[in-house]
Amino acid sequence: MFLPRVTASARLVNCTVAIRIASVSRARFISTVGTPPQAPKLWDSADEAVKDVKSGDVLLCAGFGLAGIPGNYFSGLQYTLLGALAKRKNEVTNLVGVSNNAGAGDSGLGKLLNTEQLEKIIASYPGGNKKFEALYLQGKISLELVPQGTLAERIRAHAAGIPAFFTPTGASTAVEEGTIPIRYNPCGVSTSLAIPGIKRETKVINGKKFVLEPSIVGDVAFVHAWKVDEIGNCVFRYGSQNFSTPMAKNAKLTIVEAEEIVPVGSISPNAIHLPSVYVDRIVKATVPKHIEIVTLSKAGQEEISTSKLSPEKATAQALRNRIAKRAAKELRNGFYVNLGIGMPTLVPEHLPKDVKVWLQSENGILGMGPYPTKEQLDADLINAGKETITLLPGASCFDSSESFAMIRGGHIDVAILGAMEVSSAGDIANFMIPGKMVKGIGGAMDLVSNPDKTKVIVVMEHCAKDGSHKILEKCALPLTGARTVSTIITELAVFNVDRQNGGLTLVDIAEGTTIDDLKAKTGCDFKVSENVGNF
């Protein structure tokens, strides 16, 4: 088959038309790019910027600890978004505050808690605020306790037009069962509930149970950014990105306070974390950032010798390090590892010199380095325990929804967590004591949500302070995850867990400990490996 011949004159006409079309298209493109729209987004004051926030609004407050929290510390007559809203305490009330934490003292949502403007808090880890914990247990405020990764995803989902989604996080726990009270009656925990928890719908997909979670719809978002241009393109600094990006995308009205406001075009398109389309108002941040927990390296502080500690504290410190040293043997060179708060953070100190791992922190950091010296302190660099950190060469920072996608997706090799109880089937309980302690779920439920791909190791003392068992046939406390733990490491022993069939196998025993000692201090039966090691 042959194509018809095109004459020279026809080719000339086609060429001329093509040139004209290309010229017109190019002219339009140049015209559009050369004169970007200049929407009025800069506001002179925080007072004016928050004037449309009204009673009953759902307020999304970004930040993790104090990193990325919208400024609210008074400095003379200076304050920013939360401080401006707190000034309207007589006219703006019954707010629903959504944040990872409930603030601390007068920071974060703590500012609005102190002015009694909050009716309810939706949070992952509110227990750092003692005032909030007391108010909740007394039935004076409502709480929707949400796993941290689920919180980030519920916020991100609405921003993406998704009304609900299925997640493995929280399956077979109090989250699924709806047994975490939203509000107690005013007389406190000894009475009936004013608002019970919300039972979740579940579905089994490919043999695994998933929980249906609704998206969170925000009315207003308060976000703190490092650099913002005049049309609203934002850049966040290190770990301050956390919840900022998904929250800014979610709300009907997003207000950003900026450390630096720069002209349009000053920020490389490759560097923008949050495009301008999501930002409605911009104000200048006017108060300095603060560090919640200053933690220095041994090179940056006077080392405390064990001789300066009381005998009880010296014994406890030695015990914790003994457990951490044994846990370090479970890690291999190049592993991606998430460490829970508390005892797990001691593990890197005991790694052999030839074992290097990538430490991931749930607040959006991959490649955490050691604690800083005084000269290296940075308010935007903290770990999951709010301690100051440094970054290794090759580290990366990202938002909370990205962080938990890594975790739920099984891209982390090992998660090391503390626990209050562990069962012989690998169930773990580590987030609350009903009616007594409401620290929060944090990222723990997400970290144990994919145990087939991410090995879960529990490090803890073998018995509670009162001598009661912590390793049990069945957990008595609300579960963080069901059949998720693969290895239990205590100061006395190391057990491997059969998550499928249930049952523990002793693989290592501490020097000076006998099998009979273990049987007396363990609340369930266990098998003994043919080749039990010592540590």
Side-chain angles (χ1 to χ4, degrees), residues 172-397:
S172 301
T173 73
V175 169
E176 175 196 326
E177 296 158 1
T179 54
I180 304 174
I182 290 179
R183 190 167 188 141
Y184 291 102
N185 274 316
C187 294
V189 298
S190 61
T191 63
S192 60
L193 302 179
I195 306 175
I198 304 170
K199 185 176 176 63
R200 297 292 194 234
E201 179 184 337
T202 62
K203 186 173 184 178
V204 175
I205 303 173
N206 295 328
K208 186 173 181 178
K209 187 193 288 187
F210 291 81
V211 176
L212 183 65
E213 291 283 358
S215 62
I216 292 174
V217 181
D219 294 304
V220 183
F222 285 178
V223 173
H224 180 100
W226 176 34
K227 288 185 179 180
V228 182
D229 68 20
E230 293 168 338
I231 59 171
N233 291 310
C234 298
V235 180
F236 301 98
R237 189 171 179 274
Y238 297 139
S240 67
Q241 187 170 175
N242 49 70
F243 282 86
S244 300
T245 305
M247 284 187 172
K249 294 178 179 179
N250 177 295
K252 300 170 187 173
L253 172 64
T254 293
I255 310 175
V256 175
E257 60 175 44
E259 294 176 36
E260 297 180 37
I261 299 175
V262 299
V264 177
S266 300
I267 303 173
S268 166
N270 293 321
I272 293 169
H273 295 132
L274 180 70
S276 62
V277 67
Y278 298 109
V279 176
D280 300 295
R281 299 176 184 179
I282 306 165
V283 297
K284 184 74 170 68
T286 56
V287 294
K289 292 181 286 191
H290 293 254
I291 297 175
E292 187 173 354
I293 303 175
V294 174
T295 311
L296 300 176
S297 67
K298 291 180 180 179
Q301 64 179 339
E302 183 179 348
E303 188 174 351
I304 300 175
S305 66
T306 54
S307 62
K308 294 181 181 180
L309 298 174
S310 67
E312 294 79 10
K313 288 185 177 181
T315 299
Q317 179 175 291
L319 182 148
R320 288 161 59 86
N321 277 290
R322 185 179 191 179
I323 297 170
K325 184 176 181 179
R326 177 57 185 82
K329 293 182 179 180
E330 300 293 316
L331 304 183
R332 301 290 178 265
N333 193 53
F335 269 14
Y336 289 89
V337 181
N338 183 288
L339 302 176
I341 62 176
M343 197 187 306
T345 62
L346 300 175
V347 172
E349 298 178 19
H350 301 283
L351 288 172
K353 291 184 178 180
D354 60 342
V355 175
K356 306 292 183 182
V357 300
W358 291 101
L359 296 179
Q360 194 254 18
S361 187
E362 60 202 40
N363 54 311
I365 295 173
L366 181 63
M368 286 192 298
Y371 294 129
T373 63
K374 288 183 180 179
E375 293 72 26
Q376 294 174 314
L377 277 175
D378 193 313
D380 294 324
L381 283 175
I382 62 171
N383 62 18
K386 321 302 188 299
E387 299 171 318
T388 47
I389 59 166
T390 59
L391 298 180
L392 294 177
S396 56
C397 299

Side-chain angles (χ1 to χ4, degrees), residues 147-181:
Q148 191 177 148
T150 299
L151 180 64
E153 195 65 14
R154 287 177 65 183
I155 295 166
R156 190 204 68 82
H158 175 70
I162 300 170
F165 57 91
F166 281 103
T167 175
T169 302
S172 301
T173 73
V175 169
E176 175 196 326
E177 296 158 1
T179 54
I180 304 174

